[in-house]
Amino acid sequence: MSHNLLKGKKGIIFGALDSNSIAWKTAERVHEEGGEFVLTNAPVAMRMGQINELAEKTGSQIIPADATSEDDLKNLVEQSMEILGGKIDFVLHSIGMSINVRKGKHYTDQNYAWTQKGTDVSAMSFHKVMQTLYKADAMNEWGSIVALTYMAAQRVFPDYNDMADNKAYLESIARSFGYFFGRDKKVRVNTISQSPTPTTAGSGVKGFDGFISYAEKMSPLGNATAMDCANYTVTLFSDLTKRVTLQNLYNDGGFSNMGVSDAVMSTFMGEE
């Protein structure tokens, strides 16, 4: 159901890979709520995914960009403003990658070149995106920037590996840059800490099915879906949340405030 929450608003959505991805669901919901946007992803990711299908469905244009490249980001912002006819109201950063995870390197046996690449893609890219927008004065006042994160930034999930460090860094960047963006441009910056979600990227983490099952048993409302996250993101892009900023917002069915649940205890006690 559409409420026209984003009518007249324009933005950039990073990271839509396929129909399972949160960025894809968010693009669909933004379109339904009247928003217009440019889609972007790294060229290699675009070859893997079906982003053209999403662009056609939402009437959007695609601009390939490597989010670790300042030149690519500058071109992306300039072209987006031309296509959309002015400044930008919202940005979704839905980017994450760990070569150590992909290659099965344990956290205690990192390939540091891979670690650095993962940090650049998963976290530093968020700073680069915001710095590019900030320097270009590309955001409208009361605009909204959102990045996606995960609970492993605060708590230990051993197999999440160096992605946990990347997400902690991402959240810190959101707070630090969010201060300057709010003070100088009246733009808000937040992160959404989402339940483990069966996306193409997430499924690469060892034991990911276990993450999902455990979180489902721990959370009083159960795990939040990709569509739940898309809906939450829409509210953060809308004018209903104009003074919510510098926050790490949990969309996790209550998991983040749980110590233990009856369902988990029953499992440990051999009752299931």
Side-chain angles (χ1 to χ4, degrees), residues 168-214:
Y169 188 20
L170 178 86
E171 292 175 18
S172 179
I173 289 169
R175 290 186 294 270
S176 298
F177 215 123
Y179 166 74
F180 296 104
F181 238 136
R183 184 194 69 181
D184 301 336
K185 311 286 188 180
K186 292 291 185 290
V187 170
R188 56 204 196 268
V189 180
N190 297 287
T191 53
I192 296 176
S193 188
Q194 167 73 1
S195 296
T197 308
T199 63
T200 301
S203 62
V205 177
K206 181 183 174 184
F208 195 72
D209 289 345
F211 283 154
I212 293 175
S213 178
Y214 173 67

Side-chain angles (χ1 to χ4, degrees), residues 1-7 13 22-37 54 57-58 90 226-235 237:
M1 180 184 294
S2 172
H3 303 280
N4 284 323
L5 288 175
L6 302 179
K7 187 176 182 180
I13 294 178
I22 293 172
W24 184 293
K25 302 290 188 192
T26 302
E28 290 179 328
R29 287 294 293 118
V30 169
H31 176 65
E32 289 170 3
E33 293 295 339
E36 300 176 57
F37 48 84
L54 179 63
K57 181 177 182 180
T58 59
F90 60 85
M227 185 57 75
D228 291 330
C229 190
N231 286 326
Y232 196 16
T233 303
V234 164
T235 69
F237 286 166

Side-chain angles (χ1 to χ4, degrees), residues 58-261:
T58 59
S60 306
Q61 292 194 43
I62 305 167
I63 303 175
D66 178 351
T68 68
S69 165
E70 293 175 72
D71 289 339
D72 277 17
L73 290 173
K74 183 178 179 183
N75 177 66
L76 170 66
V77 170
E78 289 174 354
Q79 283 198 41
S80 296
M81 292 174 69
E82 288 179 14
I83 290 167
L84 298 170
K87 291 188 179 183
I88 293 160
D89 299 293
F90 60 85
V91 176
L92 175 66
H93 180 282
S94 180
I95 304 171
M97 184 277 295
S98 166
I99 303 174
N100 283 305
V101 169
R102 191 183 301 161
K103 300 284 190 178
K105 292 288 283 184
H106 196 269
Y107 187 77
T108 60
D109 183 31
Q110 298 283 287
N111 177 317
Y112 289 120
W114 294 350
T115 304
Q116 184 61 54
K117 180 64 175 176
T119 299
D120 201 19
V121 171
S122 305
M124 185 62 76
S125 65
F126 190 40
H127 192 287
K128 291 177 180 178
V129 167
M130 287 197 284
Q131 181 168 289
T132 304
L133 293 164
Y134 182 91
K135 286 185 173 182
D137 194 24
M139 297 289 295
N140 279 318
E141 285 196 352
W142 305 111
S144 176
I145 301 171
V146 172
L148 301 184
T149 185
Y150 179 52
M151 187 70 190
Q154 286 80 36
R155 299 184 188 175
V156 177
F157 290 80
D159 290 324
Y160 205 62
N161 210 313
D162 57 332
M163 276 302 299
D165 302 331
N166 295 337
K167 292 300 188 184
Y169 188 20
L170 178 86
E171 292 175 18
S172 179
I173 289 169
R175 290 186 294 270
S176 298
F177 215 123
Y179 166 74
F180 296 104
F181 238 136
R183 184 194 69 181
D184 301 336
K185 311 286 188 180
K186 292 291 185 290
V187 170
R188 56 204 196 268
V189 180
N190 297 287
T191 53
I192 296 176
S193 188
Q194 167 73 1
S195 296
T197 308
T199 63
T200 301
S203 62
V205 177
K206 181 183 174 184
F208 195 72
D209 289 345
F211 283 154
I212 293 175
S213 178
Y214 173 67
E216 181 72 25
K217 287 179 179 292
M218 279 285 286
S219 309
L221 295 180
N223 288 332
T225 65
M227 185 57 75
D228 291 330
C229 190
N231 286 326
Y232 196 16
T233 303
V234 164
T235 69
L236 290 173
F237 286 166
S238 79
D239 291 335
L240 298 177
T241 53
K242 285 177 70 171
R243 284 185 169 81
V244 177
T245 195
L246 312 186
Q247 303 301 308
N248 182 44
L249 300 161
Y250 293 97
N251 186 53
D252 63 2
F255 177 88
S256 50
N257 274 322
M258 291 296 295
V260 72
S261 68

